[in-house]
Amino acid sequence: MKPRIRLQSFFPLLALLALPAFAQHMTPIPPPPDVAAPPADAQTSASGLASKVLSAGTGSDHPQADDMVKVHYTGWTTDGKMFDSSVARDKPVVLPLNRVIAGWTEGLQLMVVGEKRRLWIPGKLAYDGHPNRPQGTLVFDVELLDILRVPSTPPDVAAPPSDAQVTKSGLASKVIKPGTGTRHPTADSNVRVHYTGWTTDGKMFDSSIAKGTPALFNLRKVIAGWTEGIPLMVEGETRRFWIPKGLAYRGEPGKPEGMLVFDVELIQITKE
């Protein structure tokens, strides 16, 4: 499968308003003893958001409002009814902080990676006024697992710089970060990578980082520029590719047009 996704497909429900689909047929997680109201030792912001650290994190960096985050969470109404839980599904979620309820956008920025925090979110910062959503103050236990920052548009996205390597096919590339390995994949290898792709006008059209999961694929089943370019790399390396139209999607309907630019991190060669 060629490495492509549509950005609007990342967040089917998040893009509308907030969190993933509410819990159905999940084993309820018992509510915390202070679910009805924040305790005296909770921090309360000017907006009315109250929070309390349940366990300290290991990181030092805080997410920003335009970051993606990977989290585990459980949500209750103040009468103790659980309405949603990634913990109950045993599946963390990746979401953009600028596309969730305001209480999450504010509250997650207080956290560091590894931290668990309880949030008491007033209705005005949650779903009040939106039908088929839980109303009133909502309580969430949130664990921040990771901050996922999609790379900004490269300054040389419009064309390869003079120090880029160019092959006979016209594929241009430049090492952004040297690797730690010595092996190169072959054109038949399976590889695990993180990548972000842009058109030459700087529009991002695809990113495994935004999904929170590296991509795994065979190099015979991707665009020709990847089949040629990834074997130039070693494990741990990050490289930028400028892939001519003829080595990309060649005008296929519904695919990004023209030269494409990819930043690729080769995480692992899983099969040579």
Side-chain angles (χ1 to χ4, degrees):
M1 182 170 61
K2 294 179 180 180
R4 65 182 184 85
I5 48 178
R6 295 295 179 204
L7 286 179
Q8 57 263 41
S9 71
F10 288 169
F11 326 113
L13 289 177
L14 294 171
L16 296 178
L17 179 66
L19 302 172
F22 298 140
Q24 293 181 357
H25 312 299
M26 289 191 294
T27 302
I29 293 175
D34 51 12
V35 71
D41 59 347
Q43 306 170 36
T44 303
S45 72
S47 71
L49 173 71
S51 70
K52 179 179 179 178
V53 175
L54 303 179
S55 61
T58 55
S60 58
D61 196 14
H62 295 264
Q64 302 300 309
D66 57 354
D67 283 336
M68 307 282 299
V69 293
K70 185 175 185 178
V71 298
H72 255 320
Y73 68 91
T74 300
W76 302 270
T77 51
T78 52
D79 60 0
K81 292 180 182 177
M82 187 189 86
F83 60 86
D84 196 6
S85 178
S86 67
V87 177
R89 291 190 294 270
D90 194 26
K91 186 176 182 180
V93 298
V94 175
L95 49 85
L97 280 185
N98 58 7
R99 286 188 166 185
V100 294
I101 55 175
W104 271 61
T105 304
E106 179 181 350
L108 269 291
Q109 292 182 76
L110 302 173
M111 301 177 67
V112 296
V113 171
E115 179 181 319
K116 293 182 181 179
R117 184 179 287 247
R118 184 163 297 145
L119 306 174
W120 291 262
I121 301 178
K124 66 181 181 179
L125 301 179
Y127 298 106
D128 277 8
H130 297 277
N132 303 317
R133 299 288 192 270
Q135 299 296 296
T137 295
L138 304 180
V139 182
F140 287 93
D141 279 2
V142 183
E143 179 182 6
L144 179 57
L145 302 174
D146 202 2
I147 302 169
L148 306 169
R149 292 195 167 103
V150 176
S152 56
T153 303
D156 49 13
V157 72
S162 58
D163 59 346
Q165 306 170 36
V166 183
T167 68
K168 291 180 180 180
S169 70
L171 174 70
S173 68
K174 180 178 179 179
V175 175
I176 304 300
K177 185 185 77 173
T180 55
T182 57
R183 296 185 303 148
H184 293 264
T186 70
D188 295 308
S189 294
N190 292 342
V191 295
R192 180 174 283 111
V193 302
H194 260 315
Y195 65 90
T196 301
W198 300 268
T199 49
T200 52
D201 60 0
K203 293 179 181 177
M204 187 182 76
F205 61 86
D206 194 359
S207 178
S208 66
I209 297 172
K211 292 182 289 184
T213 304
L216 177 65
F217 50 78
N218 181 272
L219 287 179
R220 289 291 184 191
K221 297 181 179 181
V222 293
I223 56 176
W226 279 56
T227 304
E228 178 183 353
I230 304 300
L232 301 175
M233 303 175 68
V234 296
E235 289 176 320
E237 179 180 321
T238 299
R239 186 180 286 244
R240 183 166 298 147
F241 293 98
W242 292 261
I243 301 178
K245 178 178 180 179
L247 300 177
Y249 294 107
R250 299 174 293 180
E252 294 178 46
K255 310 281 179 67
E257 293 284 343
M259 178 181 286
L260 303 179
V261 181
F262 285 94
D263 278 5
V264 181
E265 178 191 2
L266 178 56
I267 298 171
Q268 185 181 16
I269 304 168
T270 63
K271 181 181 178 182
E272 295 191 43

